[in-house]
Amino acid sequence: MTLKTVAEEAGVSVSTVSNAYNKPDQLSAEVRTRVLETAKRLGYPGPNPAARSLRSQRAGAIGLLLTERLSYAFSDPYSVGMLAGLAEVAEEHRTGLLLIPLPSLADPQDEEEARLAADTMRQAVVDGIVAYCVDEDHPARAVALERGLPMVSTIDIGPGDERHGFVLIDEYGAAYALGRHLADLGHRRVGIIVDSRHQTERPEVVRPEDEGDLYVDSRPRLRGIRDALGDDAAVTAVYAGHNSHDAGVRSAAFLLDRRDRPTAIAAVSDVMAFGAIEAATQRGLVIGRDLSVTGFDDVPAAAQVGLTTVRQPIAEKGRLLGRMLLDPTFTERRLVLETELVVRSSTGPATP
C-alpha cells in the first residue's frame, strides 16, 4: 500500500495525501478527513518516519550515547537526574530522546565491538548527540561527527569545533577538595573505590597501567584525591566493575579485610559509597568514627545517610546540555559548572 494507492482511491493528488499527514493546515477539513478515512480503510499506515526525516532533514529527536546497559539510565540516580533535566528542555522544543547504549570498549583492540558501536551510530535517526561520559576515541563519537551531527559532551576533550559543545565540572578540582578534607582530618591510610570498564566479581588493585581502563570521569577524580592526600599517604585504589552498589560493597570489603585497613574510603560516586557503608556496617564499624566514607555527586539519598560528598548540579547539567543542543539563542559552547564539598556525618578524625 502506497501514497499513490491512497491518492487514486480518494480521487486526489499524491501531494494532497502527503499534506494530509505533514501539512494539514494546507487542506480543508473535509478533504483531509476523506484522505485519512480512505487510508484507514485501505490499511495504509502513513508515511515512513525514517524516509520523511530524510526529506525534511530533521528527525525530531536527539540521541544520548551511554557506554552502559540501557537499564542503567533508569536505575542510577545520577543518570536519572541528568536525564530529567535533559528531557525537560527536549519537551520545550517538542523533541524526542533516543537512548543509544554502546559497548564501553573495555578492550580497545576488540574490532567487532568497535564495528558494532560505529554501525549503531550510523543507523541512529537523530538531529544531534549528547555524549554522556563517552571516551574521546570511542568510534561512535567519530561517526557522529563524520555525519555532521552537532554534539555536546559531559567530558573535557579539548576545544573541539563549533559543532561540539561541553557542559563540564572541574572533576580534578572537586576531587582534590575531597582529598584535602580527608587529609585535614588526619587520614593517611585511604582506600579509593573507582569504577572500571572491566566487569569483575573479584576486586582488583588499580595499577598505573590500568588507569586507561577506568571510566573517563573516574580518572581525574582518582588523581585529584591522590594528589590532595600527598606522597606520604598510603593510598590503595581498587575496582570491582561498573558503577554500582554491589561494586562498592565488594571493593570496600576487599579494603577493610586487608591487614593495613584504611581509616577512610573515598568512592568516586555516591552509589559506590553507599556500598562501602554497607560493607563497613557488616563488619561492626561505626561510620564517621571507626571509618570515614566519602562519595561524589550528592544524589538525593546522600543526605539521608549523612554522606560527605561533592555536590554537582545534576539536573541543571542535563538542562544545559539540552539548551546547548536545541536552543538556537543559546550561544555558549563551553560551560564549567560549580561544585561544592558537602561535609556530613560520614567523615570524622582518623583513628589509630
Side-chain angles (χ1 to χ4, degrees), residues 88-279:
E88 183 181 316
V89 175
E91 285 177 350
E92 293 174 4
H93 291 269
R94 298 184 177 182
T95 299
L97 281 176
L98 176 65
L99 303 186
I100 308 173
L102 300 168
S104 62
L105 302 186
D107 180 1
Q109 305 305 314
D110 193 328
E111 295 182 2
E112 179 62 15
E113 278 204 341
R115 184 188 66 78
L116 289 173
D119 287 347
T120 298
M121 188 63 253
R122 287 192 186 96
Q123 296 165 14
V125 183
V126 293
D127 298 313
I129 289 294
V130 177
Y132 172 34
C133 296
V134 179
D135 278 293
E136 179 179 4
D137 59 353
H138 198 288
R141 184 189 285 274
V143 171
L145 293 175
E146 287 169 8
R147 289 179 54 185
L149 294 171
M151 179 184 294
V152 292
S153 294
T154 61
I155 62 164
D156 191 1
I157 60 170
D161 58 33
E162 69 278 358
R163 292 174 299 140
H164 203 157
F166 302 89
V167 181
L168 314 167
I169 62 169
D170 180 359
E171 306 276 6
Y172 176 89
Y176 189 95
L178 198 60
R180 187 70 258 163
H181 170 66
L182 293 176
D184 290 344
L185 289 171
H187 293 283
R188 313 313 299 148
R189 296 194 313 276
V190 178
I192 305 177
I193 299 176
V194 296
D195 51 345
S196 168
R197 292 182 288 185
H198 287 288
Q199 189 65 43
T200 175
E201 292 298 320
R202 185 175 179 274
E204 299 180 32
V205 174
V206 179
R207 302 166 299 173
E209 60 266 31
D210 297 330
E211 292 190 12
D213 294 330
L214 305 181
Y215 275 99
V216 63
D217 54 344
S218 295
R219 299 169 206 162
R221 295 180 190 182
L222 173 59
R223 290 197 302 271
I225 296 170
R226 271 181 170 162
D227 289 353
L229 290 167
D231 293 337
D232 61 333
V235 178
T236 303
V238 298
Y239 69 86
H242 298 183
N243 177 40
S244 69
H245 182 277
D246 289 346
V249 172
R250 294 195 300 270
S251 297
F254 174 83
L255 290 166
L256 295 173
D257 292 342
R258 290 163 63 99
R259 180 175 300 175
D260 55 343
R261 171 184 286 180
T263 61
I265 291 178
V268 299
S269 78
D270 289 346
V271 169
M272 291 193 293
F274 298 152
I277 289 174
E278 179 178 320

